Amino acid sequence: MALSSLTNIHAGFLPLTDAAILIACKELAYDKKNGFTLNLVKESSWANIRDRMAIGHFQIAHMLAPMPVAASLGLSPLPQSIIAPMALGVGGNAITISRALAEKIHIHLSAPTINAKETGLALYKVVAENRKRNGTPLSFGVVHPYSSHNFDLRYWLNASGINPETDIQIVVVPPTLLPAALEAGHIDGYCVGEPWNSVAVEGEIGEILTVKNEIWKHSPEKVLGVSQSFASEEPALLSAALRSFYEAARWCQNPENIEELAIILAQEKYIGQAASVIFPALSGQLKIKSDQTMQSAGFLDAFTNHATYPWQSHALWFYTQIERWRGQTWDPVKAKAAQQTFRPDLYKDALQELDISFPESSIKIEGDNQFFDQRVFDPGKADQYLEQDLAN
Amino acid sequence: MSDSAISVLILDENKIRASIIEAGLKEAGHSQVTILSHTTGIAKEIETLDPDVIVIDLENPNRDMLEAMFQLSRSVKRPVAMFVDHSDGAALVSAVEAGVSAYIVDGLKKERVKPILDLAILRFNAFAKMERDLELAKEELAGRKLIDQAKAILMEKRGFSEEEAYTLLRKTAMNQNSKISTVAQSLITAATLLNEGD
């Protein structure tokens, strides 16, 4: 195909390892192969990504999975419809704490671990001691109010007996500024995507306490956010883009490619951190402190086990968590709108020519071995789930 | 004048641009203007300052932090909303295109704040133009240096006068439909390559 006939798509992204699918698509020319040109724009905040999509600068973007749901609830400054026809892999976050807090935590752990239950209990004990001494509550950073980081952290704290509203302070700090905030003592810990945990470990500022995949296995993180108007006006172009991202995701997951991927991502125009700091998230060999490495299988999956499938039940879970922490009760109309921001139908339409197998359903139950506390999320009973949360 | 009672906080890592906006706001009669140019640990400072309007550059990653502060409104007592409301999409487009955004205390009248954002947009655009001009001037200077170097090579190797050397460069550029500095660069590269064998 002649270059002049290519069509351009503008996509915003933040410097994070889980932007890998978009970046690999561009670098390995899966876009050209599918007849379009992907223009990647590095952004500095999720608010910019959202606003620049609202005014038409971006047709698609690397986006926090709860953002389309939040937009459907009218929680964006501008009215906008964002859909998610694809997930950009699963997992990839970790919780990192300062070395001072780590010292207190280690007293309550018999052996080094990233197990969410054990580390949660240890943190619970530290928080309880702190309360007894009338100390200042610990402060944890997350990257955005409508982020899985915020909801994962809150879920883990709450299920560990720590009230995220009263026992601890949660503040928003941009990913790139988190290691500096930890070092300066403005915060005691944070939940963020890679490489911003490994950056702190490498700089001997902090230690990784637990990871997203330990809190909730194979759980949603970033999605491909797509402006609804672009999806309606350019369905064929969107399908071509989804096919190219699917191929890029398959390339990213291949162990033979991850070294090359780390080098690609390390470039200043993408993440701008050393490849050696990016690599652990891709290999699952996570350095949790300066002298300790842990195997965390499935830490960040770009492709396996339908990691790019946009489960509507995930959108529904985010709906329950947004409303839970806003103190809002179940609203069937809002819940339905929230659920429908994730579009497995568009995913299947675009990829059917690739001869691959899809999940039959658009929803799934998160069974008793998915969340670390064995709580079950049944999308058919999501109203009761939210009710229980609010009564808690 | 009641407008002078509005306190404005400018969050901009670019100190020069921030002071240009500050100067404009002061000229317009706003005496309470504060600039924060660093990015870490500013939540507490904002809380203390308690501004009515916050102007922030879009390069600043702290937008997400700001929105969360206002949304939770726990550390900031009064709720703050994004300046451009739902009915004013055009203002948001011009603001984003200029690279600036603003937040105001909810309830503050739009007519009172609009001039502040308009001024910020104007100054952001003017600053961007100034930077572009500076970039062009730098390129021009670099180009002139290349031409001087190429002329010196021609004078040395072919015994040209300075004027003859320049005429040859200009003619070649015209024939190749390219810039003189580009031709000069090619000549310098070629001369370097040829000299390497010496």
Side-chain angles (χ1 to χ4, degrees):
Chain A
M1 191 178 287
L3 238 106
S4 58
S5 70
L6 293 180
T7 316
N8 286 285
I9 298 181
H10 297 274
F13 74 97
L14 249 60
L16 289 159
T17 307
D18 57 23
I21 294 175
L22 296 181
I23 294 166
C25 175
K26 171 85 188 163
E27 290 284 322
L28 296 154
Y30 288 116
D31 56 343
K32 297 275 162 54
K33 192 186 149 199
N34 285 282
F36 71 101
T37 300
L38 180 66
N39 295 308
L40 292 176
V41 181
K42 184 168 163 176
E43 263 303 343
S44 52
S45 70
W46 294 112
N48 279 8
I49 289 211
R50 179 200 63 208
D51 292 346
R52 293 189 71 180
M53 178 170 283
I55 68 169
H57 285 182
F58 300 147
Q59 289 83 49
I60 63 173
H62 175 222
M63 215 173 246
L64 297 161
M67 285 178 92
V69 175
S72 82
L73 294 170
L75 298 172
S76 302
L78 280 172
Q80 69 186 125
S81 290
I82 306 170
I83 57 166
M86 184 177 230
L88 295 176
V90 296
N93 292 341
I95 294 171
T96 293
I97 52 170
S98 70
R99 292 175 69 187
L101 177 55
E103 263 177 42
K104 293 181 194 161
I105 296 264
H106 288 315
I107 298 170
H108 302 290
L109 289 174
S110 50
T113 178
I114 51 168
N115 178 285
K117 197 164 199 162
E118 291 171 33
T119 53
L121 183 63
L123 182 63
Y124 169 79
K125 288 176 181 165
V126 172
V127 168
E129 284 161 10
N130 189 41
R131 200 188 298 125
K132 224 180 280 169
R133 284 199 316 269
N134 283 322
T136 327
L138 295 173
S139 177
F140 275 70
V142 296
V143 302
H144 194 273
Y146 306 126
S147 62
S148 47
H149 317 81
N150 188 22
F151 299 128
D152 290 346
L153 177 67
R154 284 169 182 265
Y155 186 95
W156 173 68
L157 290 171
N158 196 61
S160 303
I162 303 164
N163 185 328
E165 299 277 296
T166 52
D167 293 338
I168 229 159
Q169 200 191 5
I170 297 179
V171 295
V172 167
V173 180
T176 50
L177 302 181
L178 279 168
L182 191 69
E183 190 173 21
H186 296 145
I187 50 176
D188 303 289
Y190 55 72
C191 181
V192 71
E194 279 289 273
W196 304 105
N197 301 286
S198 293
V199 165
V201 173
E202 207 56 47
E204 302 196 350
I205 299 163
E207 295 183 13
I208 292 174
L209 187 59
T210 188
V211 304
K212 177 178 173 67
N213 196 45
E214 293 280 328
I215 297 170
W216 178 10
K217 279 195 187 67
H218 211 69
S219 57
E221 174 50 42
K222 300 295 183 325
V223 292
L224 182 76
V226 174
S227 120
Q228 173 67 65
S229 56
F230 171 70
S232 309
E233 286 157 24
E234 298 281 357
L237 185 52
L238 177 59
S239 285
L242 295 182
R243 282 192 292 277
S244 70
F245 296 141
Y246 185 85
E247 289 181 80
R250 182 159 45 199
W251 185 89
C252 288
Q253 186 87 46
N254 186 339
E256 284 174 16
N257 298 332
I258 57 175
E259 262 176 54
E260 187 183 344
L261 179 58
I263 293 165
I264 290 172
L265 294 175
Q267 295 172 77
E268 193 54 46
K269 61 179 171 175
Y270 298 131
I271 298 178
Q273 293 286 325
S276 58
V277 175
I278 294 168
F279 189 70
L282 304 175
S283 68
Q285 292 280 345
L286 221 54
K287 195 167 166 185
I288 60 166
K289 55 180 185 169
S290 48
D291 56 354
Q292 188 116 41
T293 299
M294 288 249 168
Q295 174 64 33
S296 177
F299 173 76
L300 170 64
D301 275 342
F303 186 73
T304 46
N305 298 321
H306 304 295
T308 56
Y309 190 74
W311 292 99
Q312 289 196 322
S313 42
H314 287 166
L316 196 58
W317 187 80
F318 287 125
Y319 164 76
T320 66
Q321 299 308 292
I322 291 174
E323 296 303 56
R324 178 219 173 131
W325 298 113
R326 293 200 316 145
Q328 300 285 317
T329 52
W330 177 264
D331 178 328
V333 178
K334 285 182 180 172
K336 195 173 175 199
Q339 178 168 338
Q340 288 174 345
T341 58
F342 282 32
R343 298 291 299 273
D345 56 323
L346 295 180
Y347 179 91
K348 288 179 184 174
D349 282 351
L351 303 181
Q352 59 185 358
E353 64 184 64
L354 297 181
D355 193 27
I356 51 176
S357 69
F358 300 110
E360 272 177 31
S361 178
S362 59
I363 55 172
K364 64 168 173 170
I365 295 173
E366 301 293 331
D368 58 9
N369 55 4
Q370 293 303 108
F371 284 99
F372 83 99
D373 63 344
Q374 277 99 42
R375 192 173 173 206
V376 174
F377 176 69
D378 178 349
K381 294 174 186 163
D383 52 342
Q384 292 166 32
Y385 190 89
L386 176 56
E387 210 174 292
Q388 286 163 12
D389 269 350
L390 289 168
N392 231 315
Chain B
M1 181 84 191
S2 57
D3 269 7
S4 60
I6 296 178
S7 65
V8 185
L9 171 64
I10 302 165
L11 296 178
D12 195 340
E13 284 178 81
N14 190 317
K15 286 182 190 165
I16 300 170
R17 184 169 58 194
S19 41
I20 292 172
I21 296 166
E22 184 192 25
L25 288 172
K26 289 205 164 149
E27 273 168 37
H30 298 284
S31 53
Q32 298 179 51
V33 184
T34 315
I35 299 176
L36 286 183
S37 295
H38 54 282
T39 50
T40 45
I42 58 172
K44 283 205 176 73
E45 288 176 77
I46 295 172
E47 194 180 337
T48 314
L49 287 165
D50 197 16
D52 301 309
V53 179
I54 299 177
V55 174
I56 180 168
D57 73 295
L58 292 190
E59 298 278 296
N60 199 317
N62 274 312
R63 269 194 82 194
D64 289 335
M65 184 273 290
L66 276 183
E67 290 195 0
M69 274 178 84
F70 305 148
Q71 177 202 13
L72 303 172
S73 53
R74 208 191 268 159
S75 50
V76 174
K77 290 175 293 297
R78 295 180 291 175
V80 180
M82 194 161 171
F83 166 62
V84 183
D85 68 1
H86 293 188
S87 62
D88 204 356
L92 178 68
V93 174
S94 53
V96 171
E97 277 169 357
V100 64
S101 181
Y103 298 86
I104 63 158
V105 168
D106 215 10
L108 200 60
K109 280 219 173 70
K110 202 169 126 186
E111 308 83 72
R112 296 182 65 202
V113 189
K114 183 124 174 52
I116 297 177
L117 185 72
D118 286 346
L119 183 133
I121 292 172
L122 271 176
R123 301 248 158 166
F124 257 74
N125 283 332
F127 187 79
K129 185 178 179 303
M130 200 176 78
E131 278 193 323
R132 274 197 307 274
D133 290 348
L134 189 68
E135 201 51 44
L136 282 175
K138 269 190 199 158
E139 270 176 35
E140 206 185 306
L141 190 67
R144 216 174 293 156
K145 275 188 187 154
L146 287 175
I147 293 165
D148 284 345
Q149 221 179 319
K151 278 194 296 193
I153 293 170
L154 288 172
M155 285 153 73
E156 190 202 323
K157 303 263 170 183
R158 306 222 4 213
F160 284 177
S161 71
E162 188 175 349
E163 203 181 324
E164 283 168 334
Y166 185 74
T167 310
L168 180 63
L169 286 173
R170 201 177 44 134
K171 259 194 183 164
T172 314
M174 273 169 68
N175 290 341
Q176 294 181 354
N177 198 20
S178 59
K179 286 199 273 185
I180 301 184
S181 58
T182 314
V183 173
Q185 176 68 67
S186 312
L187 185 92
I188 296 162
T189 310
T192 317
L193 287 172
L194 291 172
N195 282 341
E196 269 172 11
D198 290 357

